Amino acid sequence: MNQSNQSSQSSESNQSNQRAQSRQNDPTGPVTPTGPVTPTGPVTPTGPVGPISQTAPLGDRTVRRIGFGAMQLAGPWVFGPPKDPEAARAVLRRAVELGVNHIDTAQVYGPDVVNELLAEVLRPYPEDLVIATKVGGARDAEGGWVKASRPEQLRWTVEQDLRTLRAERLDLVNLRLGVGGGPEPVPLAEQLGTLTELREEGKLDLIGLSTVSAGDLETALAITPIAEVQNAYGIANRTDEAVLDLCRAHGIAFVPYYPLGSAFTGGPQALAADPAVAGVATRHGVTPSQVALAWLLAHYDRMLLIPGTGSVAHLEENLAVDGIRLDATDLAELEAVTHVSAPGF
């Protein structure tokens, strides 16, 4: 992560040096720190929790395949500050300790709240940390989601991300389509043109897409390299299989949001009630949600997960999925999972 070299108060500099020295003195060695939905109640981690072993390319970078989606660190409805700021800080610290080096955020989360929290807790950013942000949407005064896809809006959002993350350059910016519903007021090619200009200016590195069709992805690939696609997808929602197939063909990372479904489609509770998922979970001694995440890892070798949570225990449960290996029998049984329609956002 490219961090800002702008001058700051000496106390912040001293704190940063202390954090760096603390990592150097840690006998376990230095560790390095990607929506999202898992329940936030008490959870007993299932399976061993340790450094994440599986990695995959993300553009010209390599990241661990289970990252962290930071959306849930904001307040209710992703608006305002977190209910428990220290719990949010603890989740980020623990993610870093366990090797997460792909974190997904956005200026609209709060707005600005999550970005500022990341900067507070994680700066100085580890060299191998990839922070992905997104543009194309904004929040109105009541917290509603509205489009912000005009060139000047895209540019403002990128520059606001730089300010609030206190970074010199953004690692990855996803262009989110369809925010707020209705047609896009600006053609995709023009939106991508703005992002490529910002890349040429040194303000961002990689470009990704979110909530796109296969046709959108083909259009984008004729304009600029695409590092990742972030669409709603999961074991019970395979509506965008054609988009995933196109990512496979081009070696593009696929980052599913709503990997466990959403509240509108039953979420983790619906997965737990599915006989196929429940059966595989019982056989492995893990939770149904862990089975659903492990299925995603098995489905494509460049699938990158960013499950989000506001709970350290839940974070550990999600990261323990790295140690689950589904065999051919498991995968065949999971083909019987009941499909639901894609959740809206």
Side-chain angles (χ1 to χ4, degrees):
M1 183 70 192
N2 293 288
Q3 11 223 336
S4 173
N5 290 325
Q6 297 175 350
S7 61
S8 58
Q9 296 179 353
S10 60
S11 60
E12 179 187 351
S13 176
N14 291 337
Q15 291 169 1
S16 296
N17 291 335
Q18 290 168 3
R19 286 194 295 269
Q21 187 63 43
S22 175
R23 283 196 297 275
Q24 291 170 0
N25 294 337
D26 183 352
T28 63
V31 290
T32 51
T34 113
V37 186
T38 51
T40 56
V43 177
T44 301
T46 303
V49 179
I52 305 159
S53 63
Q54 300 182 63
T55 62
L58 175 54
D60 59 356
R61 309 282 290 273
T62 297
V63 298
R64 296 183 179 93
R65 294 185 68 196
I66 306 179
F68 180 70
M71 185 174 78
Q72 292 190 41
L73 298 185
W77 304 103
V78 202
F79 200 66
K83 288 183 176 180
D84 187 341
E86 189 49 46
R89 295 184 187 101
V91 168
L92 287 174
R93 293 189 191 104
R94 185 58 174 153
V96 171
E97 290 171 359
L98 293 174
V100 166
N101 66 347
H102 175 204
I103 296 178
D104 183 83
T105 184
Q107 186 276 329
V108 293
Y109 296 167
D112 296 326
V113 168
V114 172
N115 280 0
E116 291 170 348
L117 189 64
L118 288 171
E120 174 195 342
V121 176
L122 299 183
R123 287 182 85 252
Y125 297 113
E127 286 298 319
D128 70 341
L129 172 63
V130 174
I131 295 181
T133 67
K134 58 185 65 67
V135 297
R139 309 299 291 275
D140 62 22
E142 289 72 41
W145 302 83
V146 296
K147 293 187 190 304
S149 55
R150 296 193 305 274
E152 67 274 16
Q153 293 174 312
L154 298 176
R155 178 174 289 274
W156 182 89
T157 306
V158 165
E159 292 175 347
Q160 183 69 357
D161 277 330
L162 290 168
R163 285 188 288 267
T164 53
L165 288 168
R166 287 187 273 163
E168 293 180 335
R169 182 181 176 95
L170 301 178
D171 299 315
L172 189 156
V173 175
N174 285 308
L175 175 60
R176 175 66 183 259
L177 302 184
V179 176
E184 288 290 335
V186 180
L188 175 58
E190 186 174 346
Q191 295 182 60
L192 288 171
T194 300
L195 292 185
T196 58
E197 288 173 3
L198 288 162
R199 182 175 59 199
E200 290 166 2
E201 294 169 16
K203 294 180 178 178
L204 61 92
D205 186 8
L206 303 172
I207 295 173
L209 296 172
S210 180
T211 319
V212 294
S213 67
D216 293 328
L217 179 53
E218 289 173 337
T219 297
L221 287 169
I223 298 169
T224 184
I226 297 299
E228 74 170 34
V229 169
Q230 191 178 108
N231 276 20
Y233 186 83
I235 191 170
N237 167 32
R238 306 186 201 178
T239 304
D240 282 343
E241 199 74 41
V243 180
L244 178 57
D245 287 342
L246 192 55
C247 287
R248 279 197 184 96
H250 290 274
I252 298 169
F254 191 94
V255 184
Y257 66 82
Y258 290 139
L260 305 178
S262 77
F264 301 105
T265 58
Q269 293 74 24
L271 290 173
D274 189 287
V277 176
V280 173
T282 298
R283 188 157 61 241
H284 283 265
V286 299
T287 69
S289 291
Q290 287 179 309
V291 168
L293 295 176
W295 178 87
L296 285 164
L297 292 177
H299 197 55
Y300 175 39
D301 61 3
R302 296 193 180 194
M303 187 82 73
L304 303 177
L305 306 185
I306 51 167
T309 181
S311 156
V312 168
H314 223 133
L315 170 75
E316 293 178 349
E317 178 182 304
N318 290 335
L319 297 184
V321 170
D322 180 66
I324 300 172
R325 297 295 185 270
L326 302 178
D327 60 24
T329 299
D330 298 325
L331 296 173
E333 290 182 13
L334 292 172
E335 286 302 307
V337 171
T338 301
H339 289 194
V340 296
S341 60
F345 177 30

